[in-house]
Each structure stands twice: as C-alpha cells, then as structure tokens.
Amino acid sequence: MLTSFALIFIAGLALGGIFKKIALPGLIGMIIAGVIMGPYALDILDDSLLSISADLREIALVIILTRAGLSLNLAELKKIGWPAILMSFVPASFEIGAITLLAPLLFNLTYIEAALMGSVVAAVSPAVIVPLMLRIKDSGYGQKRGIPQLILAGASLDDIFVIVLFTSFLTLASGGVVSAGHFLTIPVSIVLGILVGVLTGFVIGKFFTFIRMNHSIKVLVLLSTSFFLLALEDWLAGTIPLSGLLSIMSMGIVLNQLYPDLSKRLSGTYSKLWIGAEILLFVLVGTTVDLSYALSAGVAAVILVLGALVFRMLGVYLSLTPSTLNNKEKLFTMIAYTPKATVQAAIGGVPLAMGLASGHLIVTVAVLSILITAPIGAFIIEHTFKRLLERKQLN
C-alpha cells in the first residue's frame, strides 16, 4: 500500500505538472495517471488501497469543501439569492429529463432505466468545480456579482438533489415502490444539513476561543469534526435525512462569519492540505475509469452525454434569468456547471453491482461523462474566465 501511495503521488505530480506546462489543467494529467495505473490498465496499485479508494476520495472532498466554506461570506451568498436556489435543481432536472427522453431512442432501455441513468450522469462534480472556483475567486474575477460563490453554493446542493433522485429511481428499477414522501428527504436533508453545520461551527468557534491550543491541533480538531459529520449522515441513514457534506460547508461558513481571523488561518492550512489531497482524489477517480466500457459504448453514448449537456446548460441559463449577470457571465456559469467526476465514479457501478440489466450501459455512460466533461470542462473554465468575467481589484 505504501508503494502504491508513492506511485500515486509521483505519477500524479509528474503528469499533472506536464499538463500544466502545456497550458492544460493539471487534474487531467492526474486522472490519466489513475487510468494508466488502475485495475483496468497496468493494474499496479495495491488492492487494499483500491478497496478504501472511496473513503480516501471522501477525505479529499472534506478538505476542499471545508476550505470552500471557510472562504464563503454569508453576505455574498445572500446577495446571490434566488438564482443559487434554482441552480441547485433546475440544471440537473433538465439533464435527467433529456436523458430520460433520449436514452430509450438510442438504446433498448425503459423510461425508468433511462431516468436512473440520468440521475447517475446529472450530478456536477464539486471535486472539479470547487478548487477552480476558489482559485478564480482568489484572483478577483467574477467578484462583482459573486459568480464563483453562486457556482459553489449551487454545486453543493445539486449533488444532494441528484443522489436522492438516484436512490428513488434505483428502487423503482429494482421493482420497489417509492412514495411521494420519499422526495421530501431532499429539502429535509438540506435544511438539517445546514442547521447541524451552523450549530457545529458555533460550538467549534467557541471551543477554539476559550481553550488555547496550537494551530495545527485546531486543524486536526476541525478535520475530525468533519469526519464525525459524515459519520452522522451514515448513522441517521434510513431514519433522518441529513447531508454531511453540506454540514461541513455550513460549519466553515459560520466560522468565517463569526471568526474571520481564525477562518483565514485555517483556510491557509487547508490550502496546503489540498496539494496532496487533490492528487489523491483525481488519481483515484482515474482508477475507476474502465476504458473498455467507454470504447464499447459507441457513438450513441457520446451523443447522449453531449446532448444532455446542452439541456443542462439551458437549465443553467433559465436559472440565471432572475439574476443581474450579463451574457458573458451567464455563458461562463453555463460552462462551469458541466464537469462530472466524483459522484459518477461513486454511484455509476451501483446498478451493475445490483444485477440490473441496464447496469453495464449505465456505468459505461457514467465513465464517458467523466472522460468528456471533466478534462474539457476544466480546460474551458481555465481558459475563458479571464475573458468572460470582470476582475475586481483585491485589497
């Protein structure tokens, strides 16, 4: 396992660095490193490491979402308002609807199986979007209208919405019954996630105020608390819906609101932690990609992924109608809301593992959505934000 960790970091750094040198996002190189070393290519990584790959990816997500929370200002989020709420479900709904209608025309699928496929593909990737938006935010671009903050807020809620729909469609595709009350878990999960995060952030802030401790210990306490919030989601699963990841981001926002100096120091440390976590996340995402699935899918699967993206971008455009964004800013937001990676890697294989006849095709389309949208989306984001967004001079 230690050798595998060494290979992940060295190969991830090397290929990530090479791609940056040729003006491409480093994460593309990291994903490619994972594909090459993963079980579907050279298969040189230890099985025991791959067995905990999902947990390691979740740790990396915790780090980047905490950092996002620590850098978000509540006043900025209030200023964004209604469009942020629309962004959390309208684009995903458009994409799921498009796949539900198009997939049966291209493949031998029922509408329920197509909807299940849509819910796998529709989730936007915080792992790709969050670090890019934080970098853009820190550079001062899009700050006049809070565009990076809008995308950060919408993306975190988008995943909750899509995953609840995925579990519902999976139950239906497996022959189960879904009640109308099941869909109430979406708002309940969001509200409870925010409330738990706010309470936790307040308690942690008071704890750090009254008990003196080394800054590094504060980081360890905050990380451990984040892991407990994720565990709380699992403990309550099936009884009380709660979003652990949203709680983590809310905790960071509260700390930033009440203790800005502490938040700034913690955010700096988390930025350093992200250097290693980023490599681990994207290389491990790459190990989940089976190129043979992608090659067997054919042109029809590519058409489906690209066609669904058009509808997603239309959903983003409609969500931004109440906003004051100009056309360039709307175009950037539409582009920035396309990358897929972590959710597809996490749930894409579930229908296949459950023995559904459509499982092989669903995981194939999930893999293709990663291969198409993550590198291309990241590339376009990095090469258009300076042209499409206004820069606010930083103090």
Side-chain angles (χ1 to χ4, degrees):
M1 185 184 285
L2 292 178
T3 305
S4 295
F5 271 117
L7 288 169
I8 285 172
F9 286 117
I10 295 300
L13 280 169
L15 284 180
I18 289 170
F19 273 72
K20 285 178 182 176
K21 285 287 186 184
I22 57 175
L24 292 172
L27 68 87
I28 301 177
M30 295 172 197
I31 292 175
I32 291 174
V35 172
I36 294 170
M37 296 188 294
Y40 305 108
L42 297 181
D43 193 19
I44 58 175
L45 297 178
D46 189 72
D47 289 339
S48 58
L49 173 63
L50 294 177
S51 67
I52 60 169
S53 171
D55 295 309
L56 293 172
R57 294 200 305 268
E58 200 161 37
I59 290 172
L61 271 179
V62 165
I63 290 171
I64 194 59
L65 286 176
T66 308
R67 185 187 160 205
L70 291 169
S71 67
L72 283 177
N73 188 292
L74 201 57
E76 293 174 343
L77 291 178
K78 285 181 181 177
K79 194 165 59 176
I80 294 166
W82 187 238
I85 297 172
L86 293 175
M87 288 277 285
S88 68
F89 70 93
V90 173
S93 298
F94 269 62
E95 189 166 12
I96 293 171
I99 292 177
T100 303
L101 293 174
L102 291 174
L105 300 176
L106 296 170
F107 306 102
N108 184 26
L109 291 177
T110 65
Y111 284 109
I112 291 296
E113 289 172 327
L116 177 62
M117 178 188 287
S119 65
V120 170
V121 174
V124 74
S125 175
V128 178
I129 289 176
V130 173
L132 289 171
M133 290 308 110
L134 288 177
R135 200 181 313 154
I136 291 169
K137 178 180 177 293
D138 292 342
S139 66
Y141 285 91
Q143 287 302 287
K144 185 177 179 181
R145 296 182 180 88
I147 294 168
Q149 293 89 325
L150 165 67
I151 295 168
L152 287 170
S156 61
L157 297 174
D158 172 278
D159 283 1
I160 299 166
F161 174 73
V162 169
I163 289 171
V164 171
L165 290 182
F166 168 76
T167 58
S168 303
F169 292 134
L170 186 62
T171 301
L172 289 172
S174 304
V177 177
V178 174
S179 66
H182 184 80
F183 294 99
L184 288 175
T185 59
I186 296 173
V188 172
S189 176
I190 291 170
V191 172
L192 283 182
I194 293 172
L195 288 176
V196 170
V198 168
L199 178 62
T200 306
F202 180 78
V203 172
I204 287 287
K206 288 291 184 184
F207 179 72
F208 288 160
T209 301
F210 288 114
I211 299 178
R212 289 185 173 274
M213 61 182 69
N214 182 282
H215 177 71
S216 298
I217 296 176
K218 289 180 181 178
V219 172
L220 289 175
V221 170
L222 195 60
L223 266 177
S224 301
T225 304
S226 300
F227 298 153
F228 275 125
L229 289 173
L230 284 181
L232 182 63
E233 178 181 353
D234 293 333
W235 295 335
L236 297 177
T239 54
I240 301 174
L242 181 144
S243 169
L245 291 176
L246 191 57
S247 294
I248 291 166
M249 183 179 277
S250 301
M251 176 180 65
I253 291 172
V254 168
L255 287 172
N256 186 31
Q257 191 75 14
L258 299 179
Y259 308 96
D261 292 336
L262 169 66
S263 175
K264 188 174 182 179
R265 293 197 301 273
L266 289 170
S267 182
T269 304
Y270 269 84
S271 296
K272 294 172 184 175
L273 288 174
W274 175 244
I275 295 171
E278 179 184 33
I279 299 168
L280 198 61
L281 175 62
F282 289 116
V283 173
L284 289 176
V285 165
T287 64
T288 66
V289 174
D290 187 346
L291 289 177
S292 63
Y293 279 158
L295 293 173
S296 67
V299 177
V302 176
I303 292 172
L304 180 64
V305 171
L306 294 177
L309 278 181
V310 172
F311 280 86
R312 164 171 275 274
M313 294 174 79
L314 176 61
V316 174
Y317 183 83
L318 292 176
S319 301
L320 297 175
T321 303
S323 73
T324 58
L325 272 63
N326 60 39
N327 288 332
K328 284 186 176 181
E329 291 166 334
K330 287 179 180 178
L331 176 60
F332 174 81
T333 308
M334 291 161 66
I335 294 167
Y337 227 55
T338 57
K340 319 293 179 67
T342 41
V343 175
Q344 289 70 28
I347 67 176
V350 173
L352 181 62
M354 291 183 65
L356 295 184
S358 56
H360 193 280
L361 179 61
I362 289 173
V363 75
T364 300
V365 174
V367 167
L368 270 176
S369 71
I370 296 173
L371 291 174
I372 293 172
T373 64
I376 295 175
F379 174 80
I380 297 176
I381 289 169
E382 287 202 354
H383 286 77
T384 59
F385 77 89
K386 291 182 180 178
R387 299 178 204 169
L388 299 177
L389 302 179
E390 293 179 32
R391 187 177 190 184
K392 181 179 177 181
Q393 292 300 322
L394 300 175
N395 295 328

